[in-house]
Structure formats: structure tokens, C-alpha cells
Amino acid sequence: MITHLLSMEDLDAEQIGHILDTAEGFRDIALRPVKKVPTLRGRTVCNLFYEDSTRTRTSFELAAKRLSADTLNFSAKGSSVSKGESLKDTAQTLEAMGVDAIVIRHEQSGAAQTLTRFVQARVLNAGDGWHQHPTQALLDLFTVREHVGRLAGLNVAVVGDVLHSRVARSVVQGFATMGANVTVCGPPTLVPASAPSWGCEVTYDLDGLLARTDVLYLLRVQRERMTEQFFPSSREYARIWGVGRDRLARLPDEAVVLHPGPMNRGVEVTAEVADAPNALITAQVTNGIAVRMSCLYLMLGGEQAAPAEPVTQATTAEEVAAR
Amino acid sequence: MSATTTLTLTGARVIDPATGRDEIANIVVDGERIAAVGDDSAGLRLDCDGLVISPGLVDLHVHLREPGGEDAETVASGTAAAALGGFTAVCPMANTEPVADHAAVIEQVKQLAVAAGRCDVHPVGAITQHLAGERLAELGAMAAVGVRCFSDDGIPVGSAQVLRRAMAYARTWDAIICNHAEDPALVAGGTANEGGVAARLGLPGRPHEAEEVMIARDLLLAEGLGARLHIPHVSTARAVELIREAKQRGVRVTAEATPHHFTLTEDLAGDFDAVYRVNPPLRTAADVRAIRAGLAEGTLDAIATDHAPHAPEHKEQEWGHAPPGMVGLETALAVTLTELVFPERGEPTLTLPQAVRALSTAPARSRDIDGHGGPLEPGAPANLCVFDPQAQWTVQPGVLVSRSHNTPFAGRTLRGRVVHTLLRGRFTVHDGELTDEADPDDGDGEPAVSGNLHHTGLGPVAQPPPAGPTPAEPGATASAPQASIAGQERAGG
């Protein structure tokens, strides 16, 4: 079904729905005493991380291991990359070792797509620069669908540093593709003027938005943006676009709050919000593993696990595992 | 000096913007110079029916990478690419290693070009030491060895004070200042045109205002001083307007546009293929239209390539890590003809004579390059570009003679092919192939040209024999051995 997973732009509603449905089967594996299926036995998945990211790398590693794939972790620090090896050479070295899929995290936008030019292996984008982080959006869609029961028609507010956020691009496109009404909000310095072309609306007025928000998605705001004059101080940012107890109270009762982590408590979010009952932040982390299992399975599992049937026929991993 | 050779290029459409000539005519070349333009013929005849003869093309903006970047290009390989592109003069930029901020590097580049023998070079000197934008380089020392234009190339002189001083100081020689027009703070970190495409792709933007702010500033400074300013690679619609208004006010400004900026748009960043990364960045379709209009009305004087070779290991990187720039010498004429003169759809932007003016006459005049850009008249150096305006070819990066193959036009079928290039009467390109002139001292006397010569064999030509011994007697016809012709061309250098 999926050759490479590079961007939410590449997925239509049917494909997203299929990934989420498949993930539901995998979610329940985590509840078993033996949290493992043999689906990807004999396949090798490489986590190629040019940026530090403990949570994403760990999530992918667990996802691959629960599918019985062999995993190897390759981080730029302390490796041949720190000795000046190019992405092309690194990629071709990994391919020569026979990896079937490369999960890449890179600080440069487009690095995952560039990687596809160098290797035959499947490429899964685990975050590239400011560009895309598709599995983050998929796990967010999964989490909201699980808690709210639907995606179409929801009012989603994505708040914060949209300009520098790969999460924002993936999340806005993902929710819009699934039929939600998306509004992005933040200081004008951090919202691209062309954001409406992503299928969303733009406002700078968070308070005007809260009462009609079903899903409040808070983006990480890095403190270094302050020194680059995108806003004057984290205190002022928190006052105008941060969410604390008061703003949380103005959300509708059923509204949920998401954050991709890691949080800057005191800037975009306060401790009360992060720990509120309607904050789904730990559920996002839990679901991340199932969603990444789903993506790896759909990219790698189909041909080998069920050669007689197209993978799109297998609705859940349970069925596949049962065969 | 070697024996004088006489040759007549017959039957071509001769386009010479310097004189306004545009007619079918013969050009008689005697040794290094043009002997006649018109009905006369003398010596060997080279059939040019259906071809166009223009003054050799002149490129105001190239990077030959030597010294210091020889993995990407050398003066020899870059001038070979220039000759194949129909150029007889190019102006290499100062961002070499070491920087061309003193006369020694200028002299070195010129000597390498003379040794290669394929194209004249007129090096651009640095404005500031090490291109650092702080302390003026010794402009006088470089002017003394012939430098007419100073530029820190892709690094803008950010300080208005430093640039203004440079403009004032350069008036000593009435030399030209050329400043990369993007405000450094506004483009810091940027890798693509700021706008919808870059925002969607998550690429840091370079706003068009960065270019316009810098051009506006530089125009005002030049105007106040009466200094000469050249604006490189204009890429935005508003920049064209600013230059138009300045010219109307009488500011001494010239400007260039590149083939990539008048044909390609920011959408090409979409696959993150760094071959399309360039500064200033590829812009929007509206900007492309404005650049074309600027060329048509003459606001933009010249077409220049900004030929920027980069070795594959540098371009085959993540978009943000790859250096900006693309090669252009071997495709500039064909891209211009295909896109601006003979477009498949829509109205032409330029007539053929206008295109020749922008590729040859205007750039030569704008930089005081004598002997190039015409006029094509008796006594003038025979610096000529002979091209087939009909021939179609497909750009294959692997066959470019530039050491680097980072062309944005790979796979495109273009119309217009250089057939011959003559540098002071000597073929640097014959029948679409480089002549073997790279080592003029090897003296083996073997024919330099393997391709066919188009002699017409129209019988004896009533001309007195040229002075001195020559293997090809007057009246040589199609039966003349090709080797002798090639040998003469060789000796002509």
C-alpha cells in the first residue's frame, strides 16, 4: 500500500483510514502478556537519526520489535556522520547491509525524500526539518478518533509556532484530509502567510477561538525563537497564546487537548493543562507505537506475510497474525 | 605569428546589433580579423546556409572555480563549456580560493585562459578583502591589470557605507560595482523563495523584498555618486520596476537576467532536488513574466548565466546542505531561443536580433569589453558565434564539457545549437565539437577537427592569395583535405 511514507500530503482519506484501522489491531497487542507478533520476522528496520529524539526513536524501535523485525539504531552523533560522511554514503552503506526500511529523522527539510533517491529500501519520514512528521499526525488522528469517535466535522485549533513546525504541517493536512475544520493560531511572525493554502483558516486571536474548539492542538514553542525576534519574551507569548487554567476552562466540556511533546511548560502550556483529564498527551505516546507498527507493517509486511492476498484485504494485524 | 588564413562563411543570416545589420551575407575572415561583410568571398568557403552568425556571446557572470575549486571546474573546462555555448568572452567572479581580491589571482586566471585558448576572460575583482564586506580590496591594483568590474559575488556588501565608498573610489577608473542584491539579514538561513511553496515544504524563505530593498539602496547610492552599478541576476518583478525607474532618472545602471530566472519557478523545489537551489531563488510565474518583459524593453540589458558548477557530491545532498547554483554556459543560447524567441506557445518575448543583443552586444558594452559584441565590420576581431536556430537537441548532463553537470534543464529538448565559435578568427568550436586547442603549444600539426567541414565547392574564388605560405590555395574546394583546413585554423591561434 505504501512505498515510502514521506508526507501527509501523499495520503488520501481512505489511506489514512486504513492505516488507523490497521493500528487498532496492533494497539491491543500492547495489552497482551506477550507483546509481539511475528509479522516482520526476518526484516530489518534501521532507525537513522540525525537529530536527537529519544521518544520518537524509542517508539519506532518498540514498534519494529513488536513486529519481530530486527532493528538497528544509527545516530549521527559518534558515528561516521560526525566524521563527515554524506547522507548518500551512509544510506548506501546501510542498504549494502540489507536493511528493508529506513526510518529517518533529520534536521533538514526534504532529507527523507532525498534519501529515496539513494536507496531501494522503504523510507519512513520520522520528521524532516520544518517539513513533515507524518507518523505524529497519524497517531494524533488515531488518538482523537479513539477518544471523540470521529474526525470529520471536528473544529481543530492548532496553536503556536506553525512556521518552524513539521508537526503543524502534518497535523493540519491530516485533519483537513479527514474532513475536520482546522484553524491555525499564533503570532503572525510564526504563521506563514500562505497557511490557508493548506486547507485551514488563520487567526491570531486565540481567545476568540476557544469556545468553538473541539480539539486544541498546542505546538512546542522553542525559547530560541525569542532571541530571533519572533516574539519579545516567553512571558508575553504565554500571556497571549499560551494555554493555562483560565483558557482551558473556556473550552467546551468535551474538548480534548493534544501536544506532540516535548512540552515547554510555562510557555505554550502550563502544568495544569498538561495534566488535565482531557489532555491526551500520554495517550498520544501510547498510540504512537501502534500507529508506527501499522505504518511499518503496511510498508514491509504485505508481500511477505500474506503473499497470496493483497495487503489491503487484511484489515487488522490480528487477522494477519492468525493466518 | 603564423600564416594568415582566409576563410569565408557563406550564406548565413548575419545579425549584428551594433550596426543593425540583419541580412543574408558572407563574412570573410582574414587571420584574426573580419575582412569583409557582404557579397565578397575569399579563401576557403564554409557553407553556413540556414545558420545565423552573430558576434561571439559574452557572459557577464560565470564561476570558473579556479583557483581552489578545481573539482567542480577549471578555467580550461569552464572556457571549453563557454566556447561550446557560443561564448567568446566571459567574466569569472572573484569567489575563488584564494579570493580574487588582488592582482595576482586576476593575472593567474587570465593566464590560464590564454593557455587554454578557448575564450577570453575578463575577471571580476573583489570589492572587499576576502569578500568579508569590511575593508576595501586594492581596486587600483586590479584595475591596473584590466579589471573593469568589482563584486563580492554571492555575498552582498551589507554595509551601505562600505558599498558607497567602493562606488566612489571606483570612479577613479569609471569602473563598475556589482553587488549581490539580497539583504543579508532578510535572507539569513533562507534556501527558497519565501511564499507558499517554501512554507509548504518547510524551507526557510528568502523574501523577494530582500532583493528589492538592496537594489533600491544601491540604485540610490549610485545615483547620488554618479557611479556605475551593475545588478546581477534580477529575479523579481518589483526589482525590474525599480531598475526601469532608475534608468528613466538617468542612473548609470545595467542589469542582467539569467536563463533559469526567466524560465523556471519555485515549484521545482518540490522534490527537494538541490539542482534547483540557487541564489536568488527561483521565484514565481509572475516574476518570470516580469523578467521577460524587462528583457524585451531593455530594462534588463543582458542575459548572463551565473554558471555555477558544483561537484556531484556537493549537490547530491540534503537541500539545505547543498550549495546554491547551477551551470548554464552550454544551454544559455538554446534556452533563450527556445523560451524567448521561438516559444511553442504564446507570443515571443524577443526577436532574434534582440536575443543576440542581450547575449552579446549589450553585455560587451556594459562592461567595456572591446572587440566583442560587434560591430561585425572590416578590421574588427573575428569573434563570432555561428548557430543553427532550428536544430533541436536534448540536454544530457553527462555530455556537458563543464566538469560539473548540475543543470536544471536536464532532459529538456531545446531549440538552437552552436555550430561554430570563432575566437579572433580561430575555431574554438567547429561543427558542434570543441577543436583540439587546449594545448596550443603541442605542435603536432595533426588536424584538430574531426567533424565535417561544409565546403560548398562553388568553384574558384577570385581573391588574391593571402600573404605568406598557406597549405590551402585560393580556390580550394570541397576536394581540399580537411586536415589542411583544420591545420590552418589551428595555426591561426
Side-chain angles (χ1 to χ4, degrees), chain B residues 369-392:
Chain B
I369 299 173
D370 292 333
H372 291 272
L376 304 180
E377 57 189 17
N383 295 320
L384 302 173
C385 172
V386 185
F387 62 91
D388 182 344
Q390 306 288 343
Q392 296 210 335

Side-chain angles (χ1 to χ4, degrees), chain A residues 224-244:
Chain A
E224 53 261 40
R225 302 303 171 208
M226 196 166 59
T227 57
E228 298 164 347
Q229 316 308 321
F230 287 99
F231 52 87
S233 68
S234 48
R235 190 174 54 191
E236 174 151 315
Y237 181 90
R239 202 156 54 221
I240 304 176
W241 292 283
V243 176

Side-chain angles (χ1 to χ4, degrees), chain B residues 35-36 57 61 142 176 206 224 249 314 323 367 414 423 487:
Chain B
L57 309 186
H61 193 158
M142 292 186 275
I176 302 145
R206 300 175 82 91
R249 292 199 306 273
H314 293 131
R367 200 152 292 178
L414 300 175
L423 180 64

Side-chain angles (χ1 to χ4, degrees), chain B residues 53-399:
Chain B
I53 300 180
S54 75
L57 309 186
V58 176
D59 195 338
L60 295 176
H61 193 158
V62 302
H63 298 271
L64 301 181
R65 299 293 186 224
E66 195 175 3
E70 292 84 353
D71 57 334
E73 195 80 285
T74 63
V75 172
S77 66
T79 52
L84 270 179
F87 292 90
T88 54
V90 298
C91 303
M93 281 293 191
N95 63 333
T96 47
E97 180 57 47
V99 170
D101 59 1
H102 54 288
V105 174
I106 302 287
E107 295 271 50
Q108 180 193 2
V109 171
K110 288 169 83 165
Q111 283 166 11
L112 288 166
V114 168
R118 288 201 161 111
C119 185
D120 286 354
V121 302
H122 295 265
V124 175
I127 297 172
T128 64
Q129 296 175 28
H130 312 296
L131 311 177
E134 291 163 3
R135 303 174 59 200
L136 287 185
E138 290 189 350
L139 307 192
M142 292 186 275
V145 295
V147 171
R148 297 298 300 145
C149 177
F150 297 95
S151 174
D152 281 357
D153 186 54
I155 305 173
V157 178
S159 160
Q161 178 68 291
V162 171
L163 192 79
R164 188 162 183 262
R165 289 271 153 75
M167 284 178 173
Y169 189 66
R171 294 193 59 203
T172 313
W173 310 276
D174 205 28
I176 302 145
I177 295 292
C178 169
N179 190 29
H180 182 97
E182 285 187 291
D183 181 276
L186 285 175
V187 297
T191 62
N193 183 43
E194 185 174 295
V197 174
R200 187 172 59 79
L201 298 174
L203 294 175
R206 300 175 82 91
H208 61 88
E209 294 94 332
E211 178 166 339
E212 293 144 6
V213 161
M214 201 65 152
I215 288 175
R217 181 196 83 172
D218 293 353
L219 286 168
L220 291 170
L221 294 177
E223 183 173 16
L225 293 166
R228 293 174 76 182
L229 174 67
H230 178 75
I231 299 177
H233 40 48
V234 175
S235 74
T236 83
R238 189 75 179 91
V240 176
E241 285 180 35
L242 288 165
I243 296 163
R244 181 189 303 126
E245 292 159 10
K247 283 190 165 185
Q248 286 164 357
R249 292 199 306 273
V251 180
R252 299 174 74 199
V253 58
T254 54
E256 73 193 30
T258 70
H260 49 273
H261 286 121
F262 66 66
T263 54
L264 309 177
T265 64
E266 59 184 347
D267 303 307
L268 289 166
D271 290 333
F272 299 100
D273 183 347
V275 78
Y276 300 111
R277 184 174 168 199
V278 65
N279 292 340
L282 301 178
R283 307 275 190 190
T284 67
D287 292 311
V288 167
R289 284 192 296 273
I291 303 295
R292 292 179 175 210
L295 281 167
E297 71 190 10
T299 296
L300 306 180
D301 305 82
I303 293 170
T305 63
D306 192 9
H307 178 81
H310 290 292
E313 63 267 28
H314 293 131
K315 272 298 193 183
E316 282 183 1
Q317 290 197 90
E318 299 87 333
W319 175 277
H321 289 168
M326 35 185 77
V327 296
L329 282 168
E330 293 169 74
T331 50
L333 174 64
V335 170
T336 302
L337 296 180
T338 306
E339 295 277 341
L340 302 188
V341 182
F342 306 113
E344 282 187 11
R345 290 180 299 278
E347 291 297 304
T349 302
L350 301 178
T351 64
L352 196 48
Q354 284 177 314
V356 169
R357 177 184 295 277
L359 283 160
S360 175
T361 311
R365 294 297 163 273
S366 77
R367 200 152 292 178
D368 311 330
I369 299 173
D370 292 333
H372 291 272
L376 304 180
E377 57 189 17
N383 295 320
L384 302 173
C385 172
V386 185
F387 62 91
D388 182 344
Q390 306 288 343
Q392 296 210 335
W393 58 292
T394 299
V395 180
Q396 296 172 287
V399 303

Side-chain angles (χ1 to χ4, degrees), chain A residues 160-161 185-192 203-204 230-231 237 241:
Chain A
D161 180 359
C185 179
T189 45
L190 292 174
V191 178
T203 179
Y204 311 123
F230 287 99
F231 52 87
Y237 181 90
W241 292 283

Side-chain angles (χ1 to χ4, degrees), chain A residues 9 50 87-88 106-111 113-114 117-118 128 130-132 169 173 192 194 197-198, chain B residues 191 195-205 270-274 313 316-321:
Chain A
E9 287 181 303
Y50 285 80
L87 176 63
K88 183 178 182 180
H106 199 295
E107 82 285 357
Q108 288 291 331
S109 297
Q113 184 160 351
T114 302
R117 287 200 279 273
F118 304 143
D128 61 329
W130 307 348
H131 177 221
Q132 285 277 331
R169 287 173 179 77
Q173 286 161 358
S194 58
S197 68
W198 306 346
Chain B
T191 62
V197 174
R200 187 172 59 79
L201 298 174
L203 294 175
D271 290 333
F272 299 100
D273 183 347
E313 63 267 28
E316 282 183 1
Q317 290 197 90
E318 299 87 333
W319 175 277
H321 289 168

